[in-house]
Amino acid sequence: MRVLGIESSCDETGVAIYDTEAGLLAHALHSQVAAHAEYGGVVPELASRDHVRRMVPLVREVLARAGLKGAELDGVCHTAGPGLVGALLTGTLTARGLGLGWGLPVLGVHHMEGHLLAPMLEPEPPAFPFLALLVSGGHTLLVEVRGLGGYRVLGQSLDDAVGEAFDKTAKLLGLGYPGGPALARLAEQGDPGRFRFPRPMTDRPGLDFSFSGLKTFALNMLAKVAGSEQDRADIARAFEEAVVATLVIKCRRALEQTGLSRLVVAGGVGANRRLREALAGLAAAHGARVYYPRIEFCTDNGAMIALVGALRLAGGDRGDGEPLVRARWSLESLQPPGAA
Ligand code: KG4
Ligand code: ZN
């Protein structure tokens, strides 16, 4: 089954075609990062307008790359939530228009399910069940993935998402948006021994996270130093160490509690080198294995949406009568395909 997938929940327009037999046939992405950079964050209305401009050309591009015509597909899928309503609507309406024109079923996909299953786009995909750590600009989740549509949320952020904490702290340090990669670069020059940030919520049981205190900690620390390049690098380093250590402690706990031996890491922060190294160490100590999507599929993309859509349509899901978009949508409310 060959399915076109469209992602437009935030600031990336992604389009891809996934074939349940042959795998990923084509994918294309337009990132709006530059358009939002001068505002220091995503401006929803600008995002929606840019999706409208980019989407149809990207659909043409992936069809051409796959050497297919629209009517040769078996379905069209789009991110239906969670995300920015205006941005989501551009994908939903494009998908529904194309589905109507080509006579194909249309299905809305959960954005987080896309992130969770993105490693299945790689040559050695993880088998079910696995533990997934989802660390992006909008979400921090630890999820037990029993199978397609079988998700139990073990822990989540009570305030800022990890990526958001990186971005806000980067802003305090005078770095541009999105700040995560820039902060990680600055941290490379930092002295790991100079400052120590707290590891929030690790001294009590449970798998929830709280990262908003770290940016306040960074702010207070910044007020105590002269603010030289080296000071900022040292603070960046200590911040990054605290985030990584906290994530590793929670992943260790989750592996022990569930007895799982596969850990999937997805979302933009999964690109962080120090996090990857620390998780590799954790896995080695636990006889576990860590799986990542390739870097370009760690962040938002159309391929993960086409993948989930194809698996779900092939499993018997139909989008008839579903809402256009869902700004909030619980991952645990999802069912295996064909269950509805
Ligand atoms: O998954 P994603 O594209 O966003 C959402 O769907 O929300 O992830 C973007 C987030 C941003 O907050 C960005 O700063 C962060 O991932 N990020 C990083 C790194 N690369 C991206 N954070 C830390 N280190 C990195 N190398
Ligand atoms: Zn995302």
Side-chain angles (χ1 to χ4, degrees):
M1 178 169 277
R2 280 189 211 130
V3 171
L4 180 86
I6 300 177
E7 156 62 34
S8 70
S9 63
C10 191
D11 59 348
E12 252 99 36
T13 324
V15 181
I17 299 172
Y18 185 84
D19 183 329
T20 48
E21 306 278 297
L24 190 63
L25 298 184
H27 65 102
L29 185 89
H30 172 73
S31 170
Q32 304 178 355
V33 165
H36 298 289
E38 64 175 297
Y39 304 100
V42 177
V43 183
E45 181 60 23
L46 290 184
S48 310
R49 290 185 207 179
D50 201 51
H51 286 308
V52 169
R53 268 194 297 274
R54 302 290 176 165
M55 204 166 280
V56 172
L58 285 178
V59 170
R60 287 213 175 92
E61 191 178 324
V62 297
L63 283 171
R65 281 193 207 168
L68 292 169
K69 292 193 174 39
E72 292 172 310
L73 299 170
D74 301 297
V76 183
C77 294
H78 60 91
T79 305
L84 303 170
V85 168
L88 288 166
L89 274 171
T90 65
T92 302
L93 297 177
T94 303
R96 290 200 180 185
L98 293 174
L100 207 61
W102 294 333
L104 301 175
V106 177
L107 185 68
V109 169
H110 194 293
H111 180 79
M112 293 299 148
E113 185 172 39
H115 276 306
L116 291 179
L117 302 187
M120 296 175 69
L121 292 160
E122 302 309 325
E124 286 182 53
F128 295 121
F130 55 78
L131 178 70
L133 173 70
L134 196 65
V135 276
S136 74
H139 296 268
T140 308
L141 286 174
L142 261 173
V143 187
E144 181 183 348
V145 179
R146 292 185 295 265
L148 181 64
Y151 310 115
R152 186 161 69 100
V153 175
L154 305 172
Q156 55 193 312
S157 176
L158 305 178
D159 40 59
D160 290 356
V162 189
E164 194 179 355
F166 264 99
D167 294 341
K168 287 179 175 171
T169 304
K171 201 170 175 178
L172 293 176
L173 295 172
L175 303 170
Y177 172 86
L183 191 151
R185 266 195 307 279
L186 181 62
E188 290 299 312
Q189 268 82 59
D191 168 4
R194 183 164 168 212
F195 298 117
R196 186 183 157 88
F197 276 52
R199 275 69 171 141
M201 293 184 70
T202 53
D203 54 352
R204 53 185 120 152
L207 293 168
D208 284 335
F209 303 92
S210 167
F211 290 106
S212 69
L214 290 181
K215 66 171 184 291
T216 316
F217 202 86
L219 189 64
N220 292 339
M221 209 154 256
L222 204 54
K224 289 196 192 111
V225 296
S228 68
E229 176 81 5
Q230 191 59 47
D231 288 338
R232 290 163 50 257
D234 293 345
I235 292 173
R237 181 66 187 266
F239 167 87
E240 189 183 45
E241 293 232 337
V243 171
V244 168
T246 304
L247 292 172
V248 169
I249 290 168
K250 297 290 163 111
C251 284
R252 178 185 302 126
R253 251 182 226 174
L255 286 173
E256 283 166 1
Q257 280 178 21
T258 56
L260 292 168
S261 61
R262 287 176 287 269
L263 171 64
V264 158
V265 183
V269 184
N272 186 275
R273 193 174 65 78
R274 283 188 191 281
L275 177 63
R276 289 188 171 222
E277 283 171 8
L279 290 174
L282 170 69
H286 269 73
R289 182 166 166 195
V290 195
Y291 297 80
Y292 296 94
R294 72 193 82 163
I295 297 269
E296 64 182 321
F297 296 158
C298 269
T299 52
D300 292 350
N301 64 85
M304 65 186 192
I305 302 305
L307 165 78
V308 171
L311 296 178
R312 286 194 164 277
L313 283 171
D317 267 4
R318 287 292 170 268
D320 308 333
E322 68 183 6
L324 287 170
V325 297
R326 305 179 216 218
R328 302 176 70 86
W329 188 0
S330 141
L331 193 58
E332 288 183 330
S333 72
L334 297 182
Q335 301 279 320

